Amino acid sequence: MPELDWNTLVQSASADCRRLLADVAHRDAALLADAFYATMERHPQAAPFLTNNVVHDRLHASMMRWVQEIYADPPQEAATVVAHQRHVGEVHARIHLPIHLVARGARLLKHVLNNQLVVSGASEALLREAQAYAGQLMDLALELMSEAYQRNTQRSARNDEAYRLFSLGQNMSVEREKQRSVLLEWGQEVLFMLHRLPQPAVLPALSRSEFGLWFHHKASAMFEGAPEVELIAEIMERVDETILPQMCAPQDGEDALRQLQALIMTLQTELDNLKFQLSALFERQLEVENGRDTLTRLLNRRFLPSVLSREIKVATERHTQFAMLMIDVDHFKHINDQYGHEAGDIVLQQAAMLVLNSVRNGDFVFRYGGEEMLVMLVEIDPQVACRIAETLRHRFETNEFLVSMGRKLQVTISVGVAVYDGHPDYQYLINRADQAMYEAKQTGRNRVCVAP
């Protein structure tokens, strides 16, 4: 039992040893945290996890508390300390922090702590005991973190694979035709703009179109590892970075029309190639049906970690933002109590369809639990995310929800909005959205609140 191991180790140290370490940890906690971050931020693999201001401010204080906690005298309850180490390990797994960086950080902390013990003025015998005890206690803490890290990583891997299989289980033929249609509409929009006067200064990027959003945020999961994914990405990059800018460049002389026609032909060739690769992508996949909430047909929340981890990776690579809307149906218990649970289910089904019809093809909608839904809006500005949240709130307020026997209800929602701010732990974003939604409910319901 980890709690027994922790107690045994703590009790093996003398009272003077525990007191010395507690004094050093309390006095030098800030120094230890400063040394840790100063060194780790210079490590190329560790820096991306630590440079965000929110992370730095929160984790610096957390590091100080952590050092003081494990070396506290009198010792904290073993069950509490063990649970905290496991929680830290789970957070490391969620943000995909390599385990070797955690071990590196522990080694660094041991070194700095040993130096502070040396200058503490303790006797040689007490110093040796304190250094050995400090290292053993930190090793046990790291062992508990690693155990939780491995367990959470394995669970995430299973969910990632389940989400991939679920994604493949969508109606492939319908989805394929839908994306071909979206591509056709984008191409027609570009041609229409080219034939208008004056000549456009900029054309709509394919990567920002409905197809582009779907490809970057959903197809990447549905077809992970397929060679066509990379080929389609290369085509989109050529279209956005080369062909479209050339079409917008001023062209003079008799050859201007001929040059534009040649560029249009090049664009059409690229789009034909893209459609071919898209068809090959769909045709190579098998149909699997699982993973939707049976009542609302929204995404199952078990896939939320997989989707959010991917979105954080995409946002980091593409330097974009995304937002999360936490939606709760107001007074839902009253609906169940007055009209029955069957009526409540019917309301939830209509609510889910209303939300789905209010977002884009590239966005994600989950049933989060009970009467709660979670919407992830990809590649979106904070102002637009708030506007969509307010539009949703208004649509619910003005919509009539049908229940049995032709009865109609007025239903409202409380919405919490949180915008991705660079924090690598997706649970942090979920918590912010949830807190904002709770604030909306506490301040009167039927409103939108934005997380700070």
Side-chain angles (χ1 to χ4, degrees):
M1 289 287 291
E3 292 82 2
L4 179 60
D5 291 342
W6 191 273
N7 278 332
T8 301
L9 183 54
V10 169
Q11 291 166 7
S12 70
S14 67
D16 288 342
C17 174
R18 292 199 301 267
R19 190 179 307 113
L20 172 61
L21 268 170
D23 291 343
V24 171
H26 180 76
R27 182 191 67 213
D28 296 328
L31 185 148
L32 288 164
D34 288 340
F36 173 85
Y37 284 107
T39 303
M40 295 295 280
E41 284 178 351
R42 292 195 294 269
H43 191 286
Q45 286 183 277
F49 296 94
L50 301 173
T51 52
N52 178 267
N53 288 335
V54 176
V55 175
H56 186 280
D57 293 344
R58 286 170 59 90
L59 290 193
H60 190 278
S62 297
M63 175 69 72
M64 293 175 60
R65 289 194 299 272
W66 179 77
V67 171
Q68 293 168 345
E69 173 192 79
I70 65 173
Y71 297 120
D73 188 48
Q76 292 196 19
E77 185 179 348
T80 301
V81 179
V82 168
H84 187 203
Q85 310 318 304
R86 286 172 169 164
H87 171 71
V88 173
E90 290 170 358
V91 171
H92 290 164
R94 282 204 300 268
I95 67 177
H96 303 292
L97 179 67
I99 194 66
H100 70 87
L101 291 180
V102 179
R104 179 185 177 89
R107 178 166 57 85
L108 171 65
L109 284 174
K110 283 184 194 178
H111 175 72
V112 178
L113 185 58
N114 280 341
N115 289 341
Q116 295 310 112
L117 287 170
V118 169
V119 299
S120 66
S123 67
E124 185 174 346
L126 181 57
L127 176 62
R128 286 199 302 269
E129 182 188 6
Q131 288 177 330
Y133 174 65
Q136 291 170 345
L137 210 55
M138 192 171 293
D139 287 344
L140 181 52
L142 186 62
E143 180 184 322
L144 293 168
M145 290 182 199
S146 300
E147 177 192 3
Y149 181 99
Q150 182 178 11
R151 185 173 59 250
N152 205 68
T153 300
Q154 291 172 343
R155 186 188 308 121
S156 296
R158 289 194 297 270
N159 283 339
D160 285 345
E161 180 61 14
Y163 175 65
R164 190 187 71 81
L165 292 174
F166 158 74
S167 299
L168 296 176
Q170 309 311 297
N171 191 319
M172 291 289 112
S173 60
V174 172
E175 188 66 41
R176 179 184 59 191
E177 294 309 311
K178 182 177 181 180
Q179 296 310 320
R180 288 172 65 92
S181 175
V182 167
L183 273 174
L184 178 62
E185 291 175 2
W186 177 85
Q188 290 175 338
E189 181 184 1
V190 170
L191 291 177
F192 178 74
M193 293 181 68
L194 286 171
H195 286 88
R196 290 171 57 189
L197 293 176
Q199 187 177 8
V202 64
L203 290 167
L206 180 55
S207 61
R208 302 286 181 179
S209 67
E210 283 282 313
F211 173 81
L213 294 178
W214 171 83
F215 177 78
H216 286 299
H217 298 277
K218 290 191 174 178
S220 60
M222 294 169 65
F223 308 112
E224 184 176 17
E228 292 86 356
V229 170
E230 185 175 348
L231 294 174
I232 291 174
E234 291 174 356
I235 294 171
M236 293 175 64
E237 184 176 358
R238 287 197 298 271
V239 169
D240 286 348
E241 302 297 328
T242 304
I243 299 175
L244 296 184
Q246 289 179 2
M247 285 179 164
C248 295
Q251 299 175 2
D252 299 321
E254 296 180 356
D255 290 338
L257 180 59
R258 188 180 309 160
Q259 292 173 11
L260 182 59
Q261 289 174 338
L263 287 170
I264 291 174
M265 290 297 295
T266 302
L267 176 62
Q268 188 59 55
T269 300
E270 292 284 20
L271 290 180
D272 288 343
N273 187 16
L274 194 156
K275 291 174 184 175
F276 174 79
Q277 300 297 340
L278 189 66
S279 295
L281 198 57
F282 278 103
E283 288 169 4
R284 71 162 54 237
Q285 305 303 333
L286 299 174
E287 295 230 0
V288 181
E289 181 60 37
N290 59 67
R292 285 201 181 274
D293 174 65
T294 55
L295 176 65
T296 63
R297 305 303 294 162
L298 299 180
L299 288 172
N300 192 307
R301 66 176 290 175
R302 67 178 290 203
F303 296 136
L304 186 57
S306 301
V307 174
L308 270 174
S309 294
R310 290 175 185 276
E311 282 308 308
I312 289 175
K313 182 174 183 291
V314 170
T316 302
E317 292 175 348
R318 293 170 59 83
H319 305 290
T320 57
Q321 288 182 297
F322 65 92
M324 185 172 290
L325 311 184
M326 186 72 78
I327 301 171
D328 186 87
V329 178
D330 294 330
H331 301 296
F332 188 72
K333 183 178 184 301
H334 175 72
I335 295 174
N336 280 335
D337 291 345
Q338 184 170 352
Y339 299 97
H341 288 277
E342 183 178 345
D345 288 347
I346 294 173
V347 167
L348 279 181
Q349 290 172 332
Q350 294 173 78
M353 288 305 300
L354 183 56
V355 173
L356 280 172
N357 292 333
S358 301
V359 299
R360 300 163 300 174
N361 187 44
D363 298 324
F364 297 83
V365 184
F366 298 85
R367 184 178 184 189
Y368 192 67
E371 67 273 22
E372 292 180 347
M373 290 171 283
L374 190 149
V375 180
M376 192 163 65
L377 304 172
V378 302
E379 295 196 25
I380 200 164
D381 294 331
Q383 296 83 358
V384 179
C386 292
R387 191 159 62 244
I388 290 175
E390 181 58 34
T391 299
L392 264 174
R393 186 205 63 78
H394 179 71
R395 287 182 177 174
F396 269 83
E397 183 181 42
T398 56
N399 186 68
E400 289 187 326
F401 287 76
L402 301 176
V403 291
S404 59
M405 306 297 292
R407 291 174 295 183
K408 298 179 181 179
L409 296 178
Q410 297 297 128
V411 175
T412 62
I413 55 173
S414 298
V415 186
V417 182
V419 178
Y420 175 63
D421 61 3
H423 198 294
D425 185 359
Y426 59 79
Q427 189 61 51
Y428 172 71
L429 183 63
I430 294 174
N431 292 343
R432 289 174 59 221
D434 191 60
Q435 289 166 5
M437 184 268 288
Y438 181 77
E439 180 184 352
K441 295 187 78 67
Q442 290 297 106
T443 53
R445 295 183 171 86
N446 189 24
R447 64 188 62 208
V448 174
C449 285
V450 182

